[in-house]
Amino acid sequence: MDLAEKVKSISGEDVLSCYQCGLCSGSCPVRFAMDLSPTQVIRLVQIRNIEKIFEANTFWICSTCFACYARCPREINITKIMEALRQIRLRRDQDKISVNEIPKEELKILPPIALVSNFRKTTA
Amino acid sequence: MVKIPYYPGCAVQTTARNYSISGIAVAKKLGIELVELPKWNCCGVFPSLATDDLMRHLAPIRNLIHVQEMNENGIVQNENRIITFCSMCYHTLKEVNLFLKDAEKMEKINAFLEREKEFVGGVKEGYRGGVEALDFLEVLRDMVGYDRIAKEVKKPLKGLKVTPYYGCLVLRPREIGIDDPENPTVLEDILEALGAEAIDNPNRTQCCGSYHTVDRKDIVAKLTYDNLIYPIRNGAEVIVTCCPLCTFNLDHRQKEAIKLHRDLKETPVMYYTQLMAVAFGLDKQFWGVDLGLHYVDPKPLLEAKNLY
Amino acid sequence: MTEVDREKKEKVRIYIMGREYKVPAGLTIMKAMEYAGYRFVRSSGCRGGFCGACATIYRVKGDYKLRMALACQETVADGMYISQIPFTPAEKPIYNLEELSPSANVFLEYYPEIAKCVSCNTCTKACPQDLEVMDYVQAALRGDLQEVASLSFDCITCGLCATRCPAEIVPYNIALLARRLYGKYVMPKAKHVEERIKEIESGKFNEELQKLMQTSVDNLKGIYEKREIEPE
Ligand code: SF4
Ligand code: SF4
Ligand code: SF4
Ligand code: SF4
Ligand code: FES
């Protein structure tokens, strides 16, 4: 399947109604660490250039906070788009992090929910 | 005493025991007996947002099935609610019912579970739907009421400057959140009932950095600073939270945040249930402040305010 | 019916790693494989369902389910497709029990991947010992040492759960850590064992042992046969 179609089918979201207002990027708490803004990512999905998105770290940096979705005037669930992008990578067994490299001192204190959620988002 | 099924979750059994210990005691004081599910598993923490991912929804569904079983075994009577403290557990348990509105998905999941009847350790029935997940904050607001909370206060938190922090998952998305996602008030209202002074925090609904705390401490440290600095500048002495992951990030990651910005002052982070336990005058063992779980120790503050 | 006829009649058709054999009904998978000419150099040990060496997967004709069993325990059925799993590769972290403490995060420290469990229960389905494997993995995630130790008590480390887990978890190693910690830090020490160890160390049995060492093999056999056996 074409990657853009895959994003659409995994997320269940149609991004064509996005009019590039930028509210999602303005609401994004981790925009500062992203190569491309959420708005740019949505634009790239619109023009079906998913390869370009995969060159950026945006979907890995997204923290699934739903701030963008809560404010999008077109009610696009951008958070789901980010998940679809992560899933496409993870389903090809391309992990973002290496579980073995987490320092022991951190594992001693991290809440289990931090690890469960992180591994769900960053490992296949 | 009304008996309601209770889902603990992994965090409140380990790094956030101070949350459950205080919460269970507070609930009891308010006439609610939280009955722990006889058997439960990790809820999965984050619901999968992929439309085609059924497997990652099994975890919360199992827990909801255990509520059905509790009713059948007479542990609770006609009680289709399940209460949690952790925002992430609440979010996931709540989300799964929305996910299963799609009858086809419900059918597929139950067909998968059907086969478990054959083996030891499998669930003996499918999910019938309709088990309602409640965050304890909702219970306090809608079932108990702020007046009742105020009535239980033995030691008003007079002069204690508290700033509430909500984070994401208890508020967003709207269809799951328990309060107005842009302008929630439930924590402020509870603080008012306890006699504390709420200090405004413009970032109280901003993300804490969540799971990035595992591999991107730098991101979390920056957010911890952003999320704490305004209320602290405005005199906040303690941050009050409702999620064990927010709490970890706001509390433990102050270490890294202070390295980035020297003007951040170490400030204790407590669960609202802990402050309730203090204000209700419950025995200190129910405050959860002596378990070595806080990075910034709240005791000196409580002592200074003549509360300890 | 002659003996030969009966045998012919009561034979079943099985497929060992794809090759067809006719073997007498009623044999265990292990015996059937030996009957077919296989010699076990791996995948066999106690032959009594205790050592977990003989992990086997199979399907039966007409059934889509992949089933797991111990070859020394499961009886062959007509139309079985059989394959052995002599060994399960697993990451084994090194730890020193003396330096560990039974803290809530100890499992996550050595096996952080348990946080990937999706509660699918596939492991439980796979377990030939009928253990509640998912439940002990979940108990490990929340640091409930006692629960892991008790739910996994009958685990024979056959490895079948680990081969099936979509989260790539190795449940039995986690269970081992739990039982070790439980034995060392939680379970009350057995007084009689401690006393006996002291007796041994103080040389109380030296004389008796010396005597045994000088006894001939035949006499030893006699002594063995006449030994006191604990009532079942
Ligand atoms: S907020 Fe919505 S409409 Fe505006 S840019 Fe983002 S996705 Fe497009
Ligand atoms: S959900 Fe992701 S992309 Fe959207 S605002 Fe939050 S971090 Fe940014
Ligand atoms: S728990 Fe796993 S290793 Fe242990 S007996 Fe069961 S399947 Fe085998
Ligand atoms: S098979 Fe793996 S993921 Fe599934 S319940 Fe067992 S341990 Fe968890
Ligand atoms: S040979 Fe030991 S369990 Fe089968």
Side-chain angles (χ1 to χ4, degrees):
Chain A
M1 204 193 286
D2 164 59
L3 280 180
E5 282 308 309
K6 226 176 205 166
V7 173
K8 190 171 166 187
S9 87
I10 295 178
S11 68
E13 291 290 305
D14 194 342
V15 297
L16 286 178
S17 66
C18 164
Y19 47 37
Q20 292 285 295
C21 70
L23 208 52
C24 47
S25 303
S27 309
C28 181
V30 285
R31 168 68 186 95
F32 66 89
M34 290 172 169
D35 301 336
L36 290 172
S37 73
T39 314
Q40 286 170 316
V41 166
I42 299 299
R43 182 69 189 138
L44 287 166
V45 178
Q46 282 181 333
I47 63 170
R48 309 173 79 84
N49 190 350
I50 311 298
E51 266 80 17
K52 181 99 191 214
I53 300 176
F54 283 151
E55 286 164 20
N57 65 1
T58 305
F59 57 99
W60 292 130
I61 298 298
C62 164
S63 60
T64 320
C65 77
F66 297 100
C68 48
Y69 172 45
R71 292 189 185 154
C72 174
R74 310 301 309 210
E75 290 179 23
I76 295 170
N77 196 330
I78 301 127
T79 318
K80 280 193 172 171
I81 301 283
M82 299 294 172
E83 178 95 335
L85 292 163
R86 284 188 294 263
Q87 279 299 315
I88 291 175
R89 293 288 292 273
L90 295 176
R91 287 176 191 187
R92 289 185 194 155
D93 209 10
Q94 295 165 338
D95 288 5
K96 182 202 171 207
I97 74 155
S98 161
V99 171
N100 309 325
E101 280 161 24
I102 305 167
K104 280 249 160 5
E105 309 74 64
E106 287 289 315
L107 289 173
K108 279 196 176 118
I109 58 166
L110 281 166
I113 51 174
L115 295 164
V116 173
S117 52
N118 185 292
F119 295 172
R120 279 204 168 195
K121 300 295 181 186
T122 66
T123 66
Chain B
M1 192 78 81
V2 30
K3 283 185 171 185
I4 306 183
Y6 158 61
Y7 175 78
C10 312
V12 306
Q13 301 290 85
T14 53
T15 57
R17 258 177 308 133
N18 41 359
Y19 198 177
S20 52
I21 285 174
S22 54
I24 291 169
V26 162
K28 199 164 162 202
K29 196 82 194 162
L30 295 168
I32 301 166
E33 186 187 334
L34 297 176
V35 192
E36 181 173 332
L37 296 190
K39 185 168 166 170
W40 55 271
N41 52 268
C42 165
C43 65
V45 182
F46 254 113
S48 168
L49 297 172
T51 50
D52 57 354
D53 188 347
L54 292 175
M55 186 166 73
R56 286 179 180 75
H57 280 89
L58 277 171
I61 292 170
R62 281 186 197 286
N63 293 315
L64 301 184
I65 291 175
H66 294 323
V67 176
Q68 292 175 182
E69 291 165 356
M70 282 175 90
N71 279 283
E72 268 142 39
N73 301 340
I75 302 174
V76 289
Q77 263 76 43
N78 279 327
E79 189 49 84
N80 265 327
R81 294 174 292 188
I82 178 160
I83 294 177
T84 66
F85 291 115
C86 170
S87 303
M88 299 186 105
C89 297
Y90 159 74
H91 184 103
T92 307
L93 293 174
K94 174 101 178 181
E95 189 269 356
V96 77
N97 276 329
L98 300 177
F99 183 80
L100 292 178
K101 274 199 176 143
D102 181 343
E104 199 187 318
K105 286 180 178 141
M106 179 82 125
E107 221 171 274
K108 266 195 191 162
I109 293 260
N110 279 336
F112 177 85
L113 290 174
E114 179 70 27
R115 293 198 257 139
E116 291 204 8
K117 284 183 190 153
E118 289 171 25
F119 57 86
V120 182
V123 292
K124 298 297 166 240
E125 57 171 348
Y127 180 47
R128 293 192 293 267
V131 177
E132 190 192 358
L134 293 176
D135 189 282
F136 191 58
L137 283 170
E138 284 179 285
V139 174
L140 292 177
R141 181 188 61 198
D142 305 333
M143 273 175 66
V144 177
Y146 302 126
D147 290 344
R148 173 76 203 276
I149 294 174
K151 245 185 248 154
E152 288 299 337
V153 173
K154 302 271 159 6
K155 275 194 285 178
L157 306 180
K158 277 260 152 358
L160 188 67
K161 292 182 176 153
V162 192
T163 190
Y165 177 88
Y166 291 84
C168 310
L169 296 179
V170 75
L171 298 174
R172 293 187 298 270
R174 206 174 287 271
E175 49 275 28
I176 292 174
I178 62 160
D179 206 339
D180 182 335
E182 298 290 351
N183 190 24
T185 57
V186 52
L187 280 175
E188 281 86 345
D189 293 339
I190 290 172
L191 289 175
E192 196 190 315
L194 301 180
E197 181 185 342
I199 302 289
D200 190 36
N201 179 2
N203 285 340
R204 71 201 202 283
T205 67
Q206 178 168 272
C207 182
C208 68
S210 188
Y211 46 82
H212 290 312
T213 201
V214 175
D215 64 307
R216 288 295 302 266
K217 275 203 266 183
D218 57 322
I219 291 181
V220 174
K222 180 188 179 315
L223 289 171
T224 297
Y225 178 78
D226 291 352
N227 291 337
L228 296 184
I229 191 65
Y230 300 108
I232 291 177
R233 273 189 200 146
N234 287 327
E237 299 161 311
V238 55
I239 293 105
V240 70
T241 50
C242 54
C243 168
L245 188 49
C246 296
T247 304
F248 179 82
N249 285 343
L250 293 177
D251 186 13
H252 288 257
R253 296 305 186 217
Q254 281 185 39
K255 191 173 166 195
E256 284 77 19
I258 285 174
K259 275 186 211 147
L260 290 178
H261 301 278
R262 298 265 159 217
D263 62 328
L264 185 68
K265 195 166 83 222
E266 272 199 357
T267 306
V269 182
M270 292 175 80
Y271 295 103
Y272 64 94
T273 48
Q274 292 183 282
L275 283 186
M276 290 178 82
V278 174
F280 285 7
L282 300 185
D283 193 286
K284 281 201 185 84
Q285 59 167 312
F286 299 118
W287 299 9
V289 292
D290 290 313
L291 303 167
L293 297 169
H294 291 269
Y295 173 69
V296 182
D297 187 359
K299 270 182 291 182
L301 173 70
L302 296 177
E303 271 158 13
K305 298 280 166 181
N306 282 326
L307 291 166
Y308 191 75
Chain C
M1 208 169 13
T2 67
E3 196 56 30
V4 178
D5 284 345
R6 184 174 300 131
E7 210 175 75
K8 242 190 213 156
K9 202 144 181 245
E10 293 184 2
K11 273 195 170 160
V12 292
R13 203 182 299 261
I14 62 170
Y15 305 83
I16 301 169
M17 283 169 280
R19 257 187 90 170
E20 185 185 326
Y21 297 91
K22 278 197 197 121
V23 299
L27 294 186
T28 62
I29 293 175
M30 186 172 280
K31 289 207 174 116
M33 286 179 73
E34 283 171 334
Y35 179 91
Y38 285 82
R39 196 164 66 85
F40 282 90
V41 285
R42 292 297 306 259
S43 268
S44 165
C46 67
R47 292 172 179 261
F50 285 109
C51 74
C54 60
T56 302
I57 54 174
Y58 67 90
R59 275 197 168 88
V60 181
K61 248 191 186 148
D63 185 1
Y64 69 96
K65 283 187 192 177
L66 183 67
R67 299 186 187 265
M68 323 275 131
L70 298 174
C72 71
Q73 299 299 298
E74 191 77 12
T75 324
V76 283
D78 198 43
M80 247 187 192
Y81 297 93
I82 297 166
S83 184
Q84 302 294 116
I85 306 195
F87 175 73
T88 311
E91 163 75 359
K92 249 192 269 170
I94 306 290
Y95 48 76
N96 180 348
L97 270 193
E98 302 290 335
E99 286 160 13
L100 288 189
S101 70
S103 65
N105 270 25
V106 67
F107 298 107
L108 283 168
E109 202 182 322
Y110 287 92
Y111 301 94
E113 66 276 12
I114 56 175
K116 293 192 54 139
C117 172
V118 292
S119 297
C120 66
N121 229 355
T122 312
C123 46
T124 307
K125 214 185 321 184
C127 180
Q129 292 290 85
D130 285 347
L131 301 181
E132 294 170 84
V133 189
M134 175 185 85
D135 297 274
Y136 82 62
V137 173
Q138 284 292 326
L141 181 57
R142 55 179 186 258
D144 191 342
L145 175 66
Q146 184 148 353
E147 184 81 350
V148 188
S150 78
L151 285 178
S152 71
F153 188 77
D154 287 326
C155 171
I156 55 175
T157 61
C158 69
L160 283 166
C161 50
T163 62
R164 295 289 283 149
C165 174
E168 291 150 308
I169 293 164
V170 181
Y172 55 87
N173 277 347
I174 295 150
L176 258 181
L177 172 57
R179 293 197 304 278
R180 284 171 177 157
L181 284 170
Y182 188 76
K184 181 156 176 63
Y185 293 105
V186 186
M187 218 164 67
K189 294 258 177 299
K191 249 217 159 102
H192 60 281
V193 176
E194 282 190 337
E195 275 163 15
R196 180 55 54 91
I197 290 173
K198 258 192 221 129
E199 284 175 356
I200 294 171
E201 281 172 351
S202 70
K204 185 171 173 194
F205 303 102
N206 284 0
E207 202 182 314
E208 223 172 316
L209 277 171
Q210 280 302 328
K211 233 166 63 196
L212 278 177
M213 279 161 77
Q214 274 138 27
T215 315
S216 72
V217 173
D218 282 343
N219 283 345
L220 269 182
K221 279 183 183 164
I223 297 172
Y224 179 75
E225 253 134 47
K226 273 186 271 156
R227 76 195 187 281
E228 253 178 71
I229 297 176
E230 272 183 54
E232 292 245 328

